[in-house]
Amino acid sequence: MKRIKLTIAYDGTNYCGWQVQPNGITVEEVVNKALKKLTGEDIQVIGASRTDSGVHALGNVAVFDTHTTIPPERISYALNQRLPEDIVIVKSEEVAEDFHPRYCDCSKTYEYHILNTRIPIPTKRLTNYFVSYDLDVEKMRKAAGYLIGEHDFVSFCNVRTDVEDTVRTVTELEILKDGEEITIRISGNGFLYNMVRIIVGTLIRVGRGFYEPEKVKEILEAKDRKAAGVTAPPHGLILAEIRYQSNVLLKFEFH
């Protein structure tokens, strides 16, 4: 028996998120079925991040145990022949038997992509959130500064979350502007349910002038979901990279 780690990229448009569920097809379900066809084994992968319906990934990670004799580095090629075009195994490799993608220390980076134009661009509709109102990026950057560091992010968490500890550390929060596209890039040691999308929704409120940047500090201190902005839609969000303490970097860029 050996443990295989998969690095997975996918367009989440047609899926009800990562995790297997009864009300629709998911990325995890499709990968499990492809692995069964490949190995003949009933395999249930364990994913690093349970991305929501419509959310994309360039570097999600999953592991599974198998008796297959296929060389670990060749599993990715064999799987890709059995997967739809919107799911790609970027890399496959053997890891230690105790490697767990959720419980090993890691840093995750998400990117949220905003198309800030007067008229939407149809070719970007599935990966960018269209905002037609002018956004003040400098004010958004100032507001973002209040979120860096260790904080209780309960104000930026979906009320349906079942975690007891809502303290997280944001190590980096950049807002990049390239022409009409704005990218909010956030890294941390872990994220609460809908945390990134609520942060984005709040920063957009700042950019539109509804909140002053200092309002974000007040929202943190309020510890109340009702104090923060709306949850931004899922299709602008991408799990961009996962960095494990082993110094293995799984990173992918748009082209």
Side-chain angles (χ1 to χ4, degrees), residues 108-110 168-170 186-193 195-196:
K108 296 179 180 178
T109 296
Y110 286 88
R168 297 292 186 273
T169 300
V170 171
I186 181 169
S187 301
N189 66 349
F191 294 92
L192 302 167
Y193 182 35
M195 176 176 160
V196 176

Side-chain angles (χ1 to χ4, degrees), residues 2 4 6 69-76 91-94:
K2 54 191 173 186
I4 303 297
L6 303 176
T69 58
I70 301 172
E73 66 278 6
R74 300 297 303 174
I75 290 175
S76 59
K91 185 178 182 180
S92 57
E93 57 191 310
E94 186 173 0

